[in-house]
Amino acid sequence: MIRQHHFKLAIPLSLFLLGACSSGVDGQLVRSIAEFDAAARELAPGDTIVMANGTWSDVELELRANGSADAPVQLKAQEPGKVIISGQSNLAISGEHIVVSGLVFKNGYTPTSEVISFRTAKNELAYNSRVTNTVIDSFTNPERFSGDTWVAIYGKNNRFDHNSLINKGNRGVTLAVKMNTKDSQENGHIIERNYFGPRQTLGSNGGETLRIGTSHYSREYSNTIVRENYFDRTSGELEIISSKSCGNEIRDNVFFESQGTLTMRHGHYTLVENNYFIGNRKPNTGGIRVINENQTVRNNYLYGLTGHRFRGALVIMNGVPDGPINRYDPVIDSVLDNNVVIDSDHIQLCAGSDAERSAPPTGTTMHNNTFMTRTNPNPFTIYDDISGISFQGNVLNEEANVPVDQGFEKLPYSVAENQHGLLVPEASLLAKAGIDELKLPVEKDDTGADFYPKRDLSVAFRSGETTTVAPGTNTLLAALELSKPGDTLVLENGGEYLLTKYAYARHPVSIVAEGGDKPIVRSEKSTFFFIENGGALELDNLWINGDESPDQAGNNVVSTSRYSMNQNYRLAVKNSKVSDLDVNHSFDFLKVFKSTFADSVEILNTEMINVTGTVLAMDEETEDLGIYNGENVRIENSSFTDILGPVANIYRGGTDESTFGPIVNISGNEFNNVGLGKRNKSGASLKFHGVQRLDISDSKWNDSAALELFLTNGEPITNIRDVVMTGTAPIRANNDGYEVDNVVFD
Ligand code: CA
C-alpha cells in the first residue's frame, strides 16, 4: 500500500493522460527509467508497459511481475525496433507469464554479467515467460576478455524466439541456459526461430554461441528444445552449441558457414535431428561431435565441411573411464543414423584418444548414412578400437576409402543440385534413410527480429571510394582521417610522404600505389600506423623506410591499439619494400598488444631489408591460457635480409582445445641473415609455439638462425617441404611430430 501511495505521488496525472493520448499506445507509456520503475511496481495480469521510442541510455530495467497465461504482463517497445537501449544497460525479469518484445540493445554493454536475464536475483526466477522480436547487436564489452553472457535463461518453461543476437566480440556465451538450482532444471525452455548473427573468432575458450547447462549440473535433465534457428557464421570457437545437460532436443536448425561444431559435451539422451550444416568449404567448418550416452544423431545434412579433428563433419569421441564430471564421458549406446554427408573432409572415430581418453565408444551405431565426397579420398580417421560401433547400410562413393570391412556399399559419386539449391545424392539413397526431400528446415529471413536487417558486418578492402593523395608532410594523415570504411588512398608513384604524427586506421582502409615506382613513406613517430578497434589496413606497392624514425628502441611500422580490441583486425602487406628499420634496436614491423586479435596477417611479394627487431611479433599472450594473437598468418613470395630478430614469433600456449589457430603458411620465401641479432631472445629465424597448422614450403634459408618449433596442444599439423637451408642450424623442435619432405641442409 505504501508503494502504491508513492507511485501515485511520483506520476502526475498529466503524464498518464499524455500516455493515454499517444496514438497507438496500448498500455502505459513510460519515457524514463523513473517512469519505468514506477510503472513496474504495481503490475496486474494483462498490464502492459510501453517504452517510448528513442534512445534509453544507462538503464537497468528490472521487471518483477506475475501475469497469467491468458493475461500476461507485457513490456514492449512503442514501435518495435525504435526503442534503443544503449550505454551501460541491461534487462532482468522474474515472475510468471511476462512477455518482452521489440527492444534493441546496441552501442553499449552490460555493467553486470548478463544483458537479458531471466532472473532478478538468485532466487527470483522467471517462469512461463517469453522474450521475442528483440535484438542485441554488438553490445560488447570493450575489454575483450571481460566475460559476460548476452542472454541467460533461468527458471522453467521460458521461450526465447524470433530474436537477433549479432556480433558478440568479447568472451562469454551468447545465449546460455542456466541450471544452477533445482528451479532451473528440467526446464523445458524453447529456443526457436532466432537469428544468431556472425560471431568472430574469439581466439580463446568462451566463444560458444549457445550453451545448455554446465559440467557441474550436466547429469541433470534440461529438456531444452532448440529448433528452427539460423546460425550465420557463428565462429567464436570450437563449440557453436555446447550441450552440457541431459534430454535436450536440437532439431531443424541451419548452421551456415560456421566454424565449430554442435557438441554434446556433457549429459545424455540428447536428440540431434534434421539440422543442416552448410560449410561451403570454408575453413574449420564442422558438424556434430558426439560424447556421452544414449545420444541420437539422425537425418542431419552436412555439406562442404572442411574441419578436421574435433571439428570434423561427424566426430565420435573417446572418453575417460570413470572420469570426473568435467571430463569426457565415453560414448555408449548412441546412434548416428541416416545422415547425409556431402563433400566433407573428415569423419573422426574415437577422436581425442590418448592416455586419459582411453575408453572407445560402445553399443553405438552408424547405420544408413550416405557419404559422398570427392574432396578427401580418405575421410575416415580411426584413432582407437571401433569394435563398439556397428556399421550397416552406409554408402560411400567409389573414389573414397573407409578402413572398415563391412557396412559400407561403394557406389558412384552421384550428387546433383536439387530445386532448393542443395547438393544431394540420388533419391533412392535418400529413401533408404527415410528422407523424402532435402530442404533447409528454416530460411534465414524467417528467423530473428522481423524489423532488423541481417547485414554483413565485415567491410572488404577497396569496397569504398578511391582518393588520390598528393606527396608531402601529413597529406596521408589527413586523407586517413577523412577516409571511410573500405576506402582506398592512392599515393603517387615515386612520391615522398612524411608522417609527423601517428596515423590511425580506425576502419578498413587501403593505402596503395599503382604498379611502378613505389612511393616512399616515412614517419617521425615511434609507430607509423596504429590499427585501432574496428580498423584494418592494407598496404600495396609502397616503400616503407625507417630513416626518419626516432632514435629510440622499440619502434614499429604497424601497431595494434594499445588497448583491448573487441573487434578482430586484418593486416595485408603486398608488393612492398620495407627498409632500414635500424635507427635503434628492436624496431619491429608489426607490434601487437595483449587482448587484440588478427583474423589475418599477410605479407605477400614483399622485400624487407635491415630490420633490428621482429617482423611479426605476435607473442604477447604468454599466460598459457590458450589465448593467442592471430588466426591466419601468411608469408609468401617475400624476401627478408639482415633481420636481427625473427621474421615471425607466434605464440599460443596452454592445453585448451577450444580454438583452431594459429594457422600459418610460409611459402616461396628467402631468409638471408635472419635471426642472428644478440637481442633475439628466441634465437630463431622463425619461431612457432603452439601453432595448430603450419605449412612451410618452397623457401630458402641462407646464413640464418634455426627454424624453431614448439609443437603442443592437441594434434598440431606441421608440414615442411621443399626447403633448402644453407649455413643455417638444423630445425629445433621439442618433439618429432612434424612432417619433413625434401628439406636439404647445405
Ligand atoms: Ca568451449
Side-chain angles (χ1 to χ4, degrees), residues 65-323:
N66 288 300
S68 66
D70 295 339
V73 167
Q74 295 190 59
L75 169 64
K76 62 183 196 183
Q78 187 177 0
E79 290 174 76
K82 297 206 171 152
V83 171
I84 311 298
I85 300 171
S86 69
Q88 307 272 294
S89 298
N90 55 30
L91 165 68
I93 61 172
S94 66
E96 294 256 9
H97 296 289
I98 301 169
V99 178
V100 175
S101 68
L103 309 179
V104 176
F105 291 82
K106 66 177 187 185
N107 302 324
Y109 58 98
T110 179
T112 60
S113 51
E114 290 157 2
V115 179
I116 296 177
S117 184
F118 283 69
R119 71 173 188 186
T120 50
K122 230 174 177 163
N123 54 359
E124 295 174 3
L125 312 183
Y127 302 89
N128 300 303
S129 292
R130 179 181 181 201
V131 171
T132 186
N133 213 29
T134 284
V135 174
I136 306 178
D137 183 355
S138 311
F139 206 67
T140 287
N141 194 304
E143 283 296 334
R144 188 178 184 93
F145 292 109
S146 184
D148 57 35
T149 302
W150 274 8
V151 180
I153 307 182
Y154 300 84
K156 292 183 201 277
N157 301 316
N158 294 313
R159 184 171 172 218
F160 187 81
D161 67 283
H162 294 90
N163 302 294
S164 297
L165 304 180
I166 302 169
N167 192 29
K168 189 175 202 290
N170 65 321
R171 171 152 61 195
V173 180
T174 309
L175 167 58
V177 172
K178 302 277 197 169
M179 295 174 63
N180 51 327
T181 62
K182 270 271 171 257
D183 290 337
S184 291
Q185 296 164 10
E186 297 182 36
N187 52 60
H189 299 318
I190 296 177
I191 296 165
E192 63 183 341
R193 294 264 169 162
N194 298 292
Y195 174 68
F196 293 95
R199 179 155 191 185
Q200 68 183 4
T201 304
L202 180 62
S204 164
N205 193 8
E208 302 88 352
T209 293
L210 170 58
R211 193 183 69 211
I212 308 170
T214 54
S215 60
H216 280 61
Y217 307 101
S218 62
R219 287 172 189 158
E220 306 299 330
Y221 280 75
S222 183
N223 300 334
T224 293
I225 296 174
V226 178
R227 66 186 174 206
E228 297 179 4
N229 299 284
Y230 198 95
F231 294 84
D232 185 6
R233 290 162 288 167
T234 48
S235 302
E237 62 142 276
L238 172 62
E239 297 169 302
I240 304 167
I241 294 182
S242 186
S243 181
K244 292 188 164 178
S245 48
C246 299
N248 299 312
E249 190 176 310
I250 302 169
R251 57 159 60 249
D252 300 327
N253 301 285
V254 175
F255 297 83
F256 180 79
E257 295 182 2
S258 292
Q259 297 187 16
T261 60
L262 189 176
T263 298
M264 282 161 269
R265 183 64 186 83
H266 295 297
H268 313 306
Y269 294 98
T270 283
L271 172 65
V272 173
E273 185 171 44
N274 202 45
N275 298 285
Y276 280 53
F277 294 80
I278 311 295
N280 288 339
R281 307 288 308 155
K282 294 285 161 62
N284 298 315
T285 45
I288 300 164
R289 188 162 70 115
V290 183
I291 306 150
N292 309 290
E293 303 175 17
N294 292 287
Q295 314 287 34
T296 301
V297 176
R298 65 186 181 212
N299 294 103
N300 298 284
Y301 172 82
L302 305 104
Y303 167 72
L305 303 172
T306 64
H308 77 284
R309 199 167 177 258
F310 289 4
R311 51 273 189 190
L314 293 176
V315 181
I316 303 180
M317 293 284 293
N318 252 29
V320 180
D322 303 314

Side-chain angles (χ1 to χ4, degrees), residues 440-493:
L440 292 187
V442 65
E443 294 290 337
K444 183 159 99 170
D445 284 347
D446 296 330
T447 62
D450 58 10
F451 56 82
Y452 208 76
K454 298 177 177 72
R455 66 195 196 284
D456 212 326
L457 298 161
S458 74
V459 175
F461 286 130
R462 308 192 200 204
S463 60
E465 311 262 292
T466 297
T467 308
T468 304
V469 183
T473 299
N474 293 335
T475 51
L476 176 55
L477 204 83
L480 269 172
E481 289 301 319
L482 289 173
S483 69
K484 302 236 165 16
D487 280 1
T488 304
L489 307 180
V490 181
L491 310 194
E492 266 181 31
N493 287 121

Side-chain angles (χ1 to χ4, degrees), residues 291-567:
I291 306 150
N292 309 290
E293 303 175 17
N294 292 287
Q295 314 287 34
T296 301
V297 176
R298 65 186 181 212
N299 294 103
N300 298 284
Y301 172 82
L302 305 104
Y303 167 72
L305 303 172
T306 64
H308 77 284
R309 199 167 177 258
F310 289 4
R311 51 273 189 190
L314 293 176
V315 181
I316 303 180
M317 293 284 293
N318 252 29
V320 180
D322 303 314
I325 197 164
N326 65 337
R327 295 302 297 150
Y328 286 81
D329 279 355
V331 174
I332 299 173
D333 296 344
S334 291
V335 169
L336 286 88
D337 292 355
N338 300 338
N339 300 290
V340 176
V341 186
I342 308 292
D343 288 344
S344 294
D345 294 349
H346 295 286
I347 312 297
Q348 309 269 290
L349 307 179
C350 311
S353 168
D354 60 18
E356 187 204 17
R357 287 181 292 227
S358 62
T362 55
T364 291
T365 63
M366 283 191 87
H367 293 177
N368 302 322
N369 299 287
T370 298
F371 300 95
M372 288 277 159
T373 176
R374 283 197 295 206
T375 52
N376 180 4
N378 296 295
F380 289 82
T381 314
I382 296 170
Y383 295 89
D384 200 343
D385 176 14
I386 54 165
S387 62
I389 305 176
S390 148
F391 298 92
Q392 279 178 27
N394 300 297
V395 166
L396 182 67
N397 57 299
E398 289 162 344
E399 301 90 335
N401 305 302
V402 59
V404 175
D405 294 338
Q406 53 189 29
F408 284 83
E409 183 186 357
K410 289 287 198 84
L411 291 177
Y413 179 94
S414 173
V415 168
E417 193 174 319
N418 72 4
Q419 57 172 319
H420 307 296
L422 296 175
L423 290 168
V424 304
E426 286 170 16
S428 60
L429 294 179
L430 294 182
K432 216 171 134 217
I435 298 170
D436 290 339
E437 185 184 37
L438 290 167
K439 180 179 185 231
L440 292 187
V442 65
E443 294 290 337
K444 183 159 99 170
D445 284 347
D446 296 330
T447 62
D450 58 10
F451 56 82
Y452 208 76
K454 298 177 177 72
R455 66 195 196 284
D456 212 326
L457 298 161
S458 74
V459 175
F461 286 130
R462 308 192 200 204
S463 60
E465 311 262 292
T466 297
T467 308
T468 304
V469 183
T473 299
N474 293 335
T475 51
L476 176 55
L477 204 83
L480 269 172
E481 289 301 319
L482 289 173
S483 69
K484 302 236 165 16
D487 280 1
T488 304
L489 307 180
V490 181
L491 310 194
E492 266 181 31
N493 287 121
E496 297 199 18
Y497 294 79
L498 180 66
L499 302 166
T500 68
K501 295 185 264 188
Y502 292 130
Y504 294 96
R506 302 183 198 279
H507 43 244
V509 62
S510 299
I511 305 172
V512 312
E514 314 272 328
D517 267 2
K518 296 180 196 333
I520 186 163
V521 181
R522 299 183 179 93
S523 175
E524 295 181 353
K525 296 293 280 183
S526 57
T527 294
F528 284 57
F529 301 100
F530 277 102
I531 300 179
E532 292 296 293
N533 195 31
L537 182 63
E538 180 185 40
L539 305 174
D540 191 352
N541 201 38
L542 306 184
W543 179 3
I544 306 282
N545 179 274
D547 283 351
E548 298 296 335
S549 295
D551 185 2
Q552 61 186 51
N555 294 327
N556 48 69
V557 174
V558 179
S559 171
T560 65
S561 170
R562 293 188 181 93
Y563 310 105
S564 170
M565 295 169 74
N566 64 13
Q567 295 179 61

Side-chain angles (χ1 to χ4, degrees), residues 618-672:
M618 301 176 72
D619 60 337
E620 283 297 315
E621 302 289 357
T622 53
E623 287 86 359
D624 293 345
L625 298 172
I627 300 176
Y628 51 108
N629 289 117
E631 191 73 352
N632 296 288
V633 175
R634 282 170 66 199
I635 303 176
E636 291 176 10
N637 303 323
S638 294
S639 72
F640 301 88
T641 302
D642 302 333
I643 313 287
L644 297 186
V647 162
N649 190 358
I650 298 176
Y651 189 91
R652 193 270 189 212
T655 56
D656 177 76
E657 295 175 293
S658 320
T659 56
F660 312 114
I663 299 163
V664 177
N665 206 302
I666 308 285
S667 168
N669 303 296
E670 244 186 71
F671 304 102
N672 305 307

Side-chain angles (χ1 to χ4, degrees), residues 721-738:
R721 66 170 172 83
D722 301 325
V723 158
V724 179
M725 294 187 168
T726 306
T728 296
I731 296 168
R732 284 201 301 267
N734 63 317
N735 64 45
D736 58 5
Y738 59 100

